[in-house]
Amino acid sequence: GGPPPPPAAATATQTAAALDASLLSEGVRCVQQRCVVPLPMPVPLPFPHLFGPVVSRYGDYSGVSAAQPGSTQPVGGGVVSVPVLTRLVATRAYAATLALQRRQLEGAAGSAVGRQMLMAWGVGSDELAEARETLHDLATGYGSGGSDSDDSS
C-alpha cells in the first residue's frame, strides 16, 4: 500500500527532447522558436491554496500529505512555484488577424495624422515597409495566401 512514489523531475534536456518529439509526431511544418527554461513558474497569490496536500512548496508531487506527521509542508497549501510545460500554437485562423492588422496599419499610415504619429515615434518609410512585409509574410505563412491585398510592399 501507500501512495505511489513521486515521479522524477524532468531535466531541461529531457523536456526539450519530449517537446521536439511531440512537434515531430504532429507534423508541424515550421517551428519558428522553441525555448525550454529550467526555472519554476512563480504561483501568484491567491492561487497556492488550489493545490492538494501532497504537492510540495515547489510544485512537486511529494506523496506525503501536509496533514501527516513529519511533513514539512504547511497545511493548506504554501505552494510558491510549479514546474510547467506549455505550448503556444497559432492556427490558420490567425492569418485573418494578421491580414487585418496589416490593413489597419496601412490605413493609419495612409492618413496625414497617422504619418505624423509614426514619424513622431521614429517610424520612417523603411520601417513601415518592413512592418507591412512582415505582416504579409506571417499571414501567408499561416495560410492566407496574401490575397487580402497586393504584393507591392
Side-chain angles (χ1 to χ4, degrees):
T11 65
T13 302
Q14 292 167 326
T15 303
L19 180 60
D20 289 342
S22 173
L23 292 170
L24 283 173
S25 72
E26 293 175 16
V28 176
R29 305 190 292 208
C30 177
V31 176
Q32 292 194 358
Q33 185 173 15
R34 175 192 54 71
C35 179
V36 176
V37 180
L39 299 173
M41 183 182 84
V43 178
L45 294 175
F47 298 109
H49 74 279
L50 298 176
F51 296 94
V54 295
V55 178
S56 76
R57 179 171 171 79
Y58 299 104
D60 297 316
Y61 172 78
S62 68
V64 178
S65 172
Q68 292 179 353
S71 172
T72 57
Q73 180 179 340
V75 176
V79 176
V80 296
S81 65
V82 292
V84 174
L85 175 62
T86 187
R87 290 176 50 194
L88 176 61
V89 178
T91 65
R92 293 178 70 97
Y94 192 54
T97 300
L98 291 165
L100 174 63
Q101 291 296 312
R102 180 178 181 204
R103 287 192 303 271
Q104 289 175 337
L105 175 64
E106 290 169 341
S111 72
V113 172
R115 283 190 302 275
Q116 211 170 25
M117 187 180 305
L118 288 170
M119 285 175 47
W121 291 342
V123 177
S125 60
D126 290 344
E127 291 86 3
L128 179 60
E130 183 178 343
R132 288 179 66 231
E133 182 177 344
T134 298
L135 287 169
H136 177 265
D137 291 348
L138 287 170
T140 301
Y142 282 108
S144 78
S147 60
D148 58 299
S149 64
D150 68 295
D151 288 328
S152 60
S153 295

